[in-house]
Amino acid sequence: MFKRMETFQQWLNQENIDAAIITSKENVFYFSGFYSDPHERLLAIAMFEGGEPFLICPQMETNAAKDTGWTYPIIGYKDTDDSLQILTDEIKKRIGNGKTIAVEKNHLNAFRYESLQRLFPNTQFKNAERQLNEQRLIKDEREIQKLEKAAELADYAIQVGINEVREGATELQIVAAIEYELKKKGVQQMSFSTIVLTGEKAASPHGTPGLTKVKKGDFVLFDLGVVYEGYCSDITRTVHYGGPSEKQAKVYETVLRAQQTALSIGRPGIPSKELDLAARTIIAEAGYGDYFTHRLGHGLGISVHEFPSITETNPLPLEKGMVFTIEPGIYIPNEIGVRIEDDVIITDKGAVSLTRFPKQLQVIS
Amino acid sequence: MFKRMETFQQWLNQENIDAAIITSKENVFYFSGFYSDPHERLLAIAMFEGGEPFLICPQMETNAAKDTGWTYPIIGYKDTDDSLQILTDEIKKRIGNGKTIAVEKNHLNAFRYESLQRLFPNTQFKNAERQLNEQRLIKDEREIQKLEKAAELADYAIQVGINEVREGATELQIVAAIEYELKKKGVQQMSFSTIVLTGEKAASPHGTPGLTKVKKGDFVLFDLGVVYEGYCSDITRTVHYGGPSEKQAKVYETVLRAQQTALSIGRPGIPSKELDLAARTIIAEAGYGDYFTHRLGHGLGISVHEFPSITETNPLPLEKGMVFTIEPGIYIPNEIGVRIEDDVIITDKGAVSLTRFPKQLQVIS
């Protein structure tokens, strides 16, 4: 864990930055192993170009932080304390007023940011985001093992869900069954609210499961993920109940071909956008170009959506150890929705799926 | 719904603010009825001192937004678009460069804030937070009905959980059973990850449920909530498995007395801090002052934690229609944890609990 802080310190050093304030729960976890959602309360790690870091958290969390193996100072504050003032005082003890401080500008809110600007009136604030993104981009062996395990549990969840598909089952009943079986297996957290959508509702890429019932002729779409030891999976499968119409079969086959094609061309050195464009072209040529309304995929790791974004314009070359989703979809409003999503890792031999649930159209009857 | 925008527009008018950009999913829901979690993508409502508002969201969400009854313009953007630039252009069409714009500084991140500062170089940005907090502070009849229903479902969830308490049951098994039963009842979302902690683990106020098993002599703590039509509940009950020791019984009785006392003095006009201090004093006098490590409670509504914070220093007078939690606890590290939490509403007759599950110590055997 502490190797990561060393790498980050080297960056501070190179960039002549005196200190950094890390405030997102994901990056606090990345550096410390301590995962906590403080809601509106302040949780932060302060790191310095030289010297020890410290962690600041609500007083009631200090024991939990210690238990994760963080061996540097921990500062607990009460709900009535001014936590940002305490953080500032501690930083000033170490670096005085500090000429340059890095913060997570994509996480820190404007109120806290302006407060810090007042508390450090002569300081320039830089964005640590890029360095943090780059450090987290390439996954190491231990991270890959966790991502594999998270993906395996996602595969299992899809099977549980498919087993529940029957005439009249509601979306929420299926969600309930999936999450129940996963929790029984020891899963502490889903990476986001499990999505099961049936029929027309599947045409809404981010719809909310409700009391809509499965009926003959429906596509049933599952989009779900699991957090395993801090790492996320994110899988989508779409199955058919009763047997597809010709149009439904064509939509499915198009999405599948787009997904497999994007997957097949992923390898080190290829620009990210090539994958998006390959999938997008197949969907457009089949006549559904207007109905693939989102990017091909997103990075995956401690966050379920993280750097990089796999879009048709992102030139970032793929590298060995990058993990991201490939998830084309076609959404014909109020009619048909199909998406197929895998989590993939870039290896020397190409892109390899961590999620392995079969992708050929499954017809439930 | 649109009355709320009118009230907000009046505030813009009074304060001579040209426009406001509302970016938190909670406040977008408050004004539009459209609930969507865009993750890192931009979701915003722009409102103006005069003229119609508009909503900007990812293109794939525009149909869902229309379906909620939002009748003003909706601007959808693609993942490859610069959404903040589009938002800016649309605002400039309406107010030119705008002298003053209100934003949610406690939500908007520093990166977007600095981008807006560049895009509107001569504009002063004010914080809309206080006005938004005040508008949401007093709940109307329809909101209260939803909060009551959410609380009723939370009471039910506690009963489901208690029914699962038995020798060897894991925390996660109990969580699974609770969420399964709620989803079967049509609950789409919990207001946060359901917490079930047993034995020493209950001494961690924000612990994570895992494979720890219930055993004789344990307190089992449930902290959970339900989202009902966009409104949250949040309840905690602690039960005993096997029968409490003298010390355990004393801790429970102290927390219960603190909770009931705070509840009994809530009424319009009383400063919030009086409730916190009343509970804190009882706990301190019993010798556990160091072990009540958080505030008494927090506002509750569209967000599970919202304005106001019920702390020992908050002078804010209670008002009819305010809804918040009362949740004292005692946490003796690695030994005992007890918390009792109700959702209460301030009425002319005093504070009334929305959560009604019994609070006398229940011993399961």
Side-chain angles (χ1 to χ4, degrees), chain A residues 67-87:
Chain A
D67 290 347
T68 59
W70 174 264
T71 56
Y72 299 108
I74 297 175
I75 295 160
Y77 63 85
K78 292 188 205 169
D79 282 334
T80 47
D81 288 336
D82 181 344
S83 55
L84 211 62
Q85 182 69 56
I86 294 173
L87 171 66

Side-chain angles (χ1 to χ4, degrees), chain B residues 232-247:
Chain B
C232 297
S233 55
D234 185 1
I235 188 173
T236 306
R237 289 294 184 269
T238 310
V239 301
H240 201 279
Y241 181 64
S245 69
E246 205 174 309
K247 185 173 180 184

Side-chain angles (χ1 to χ4, degrees), chain A residues 40-41 60-61 79 105-106 108-111 113-114 172 176 179-180 183 186 188 206 209-210 293 295 305, chain B residues 40-41 61 79 105-106 108-111 113-114 172 176 179-180 183 186 188 206 209-210 293 295 305:
Chain A
E40 69 279 23
R41 293 178 178 105
M60 61 177 170
E61 307 276 0
D79 282 334
K105 289 194 182 179
N106 298 51
L108 190 70
N109 73 41
F111 178 77
Y113 185 45
E114 287 192 331
L172 278 172
E179 296 194 352
Y180 181 73
K183 290 211 174 73
Q188 297 188 309
H206 277 167
T293 46
R295 62 187 171 187
H305 287 189
Chain B
E40 70 278 24
R41 293 179 177 105
E61 307 277 358
D79 282 336
K105 290 195 182 177
N106 298 51
L108 190 70
N109 72 41
F111 178 77
Y113 185 46
E114 286 192 332
L172 278 171
E179 296 194 351
Y180 182 73
K183 291 212 173 72
Q188 297 188 308
H206 278 168
T293 46
R295 61 187 171 186
H305 285 188

Side-chain angles (χ1 to χ4, degrees), chain B residues 112-145:
Chain B
R112 284 196 179 139
Y113 185 46
E114 286 192 332
S115 303
L116 284 174
Q117 285 173 327
R118 265 194 304 277
L119 291 162
F120 291 96
N122 299 310
T123 296
Q124 197 197 348
F125 287 91
K126 293 209 169 165
N127 199 348
E129 215 71 30
R130 196 166 170 170
Q131 171 63 17
L132 294 164
N133 282 344
E134 282 178 14
Q135 269 193 245
R136 282 172 52 186
L137 179 63
I138 305 302
K139 272 64 181 177
D140 66 27
E141 268 312 306
R142 276 177 50 210
E143 292 182 295
I144 293 167
Q145 280 164 17

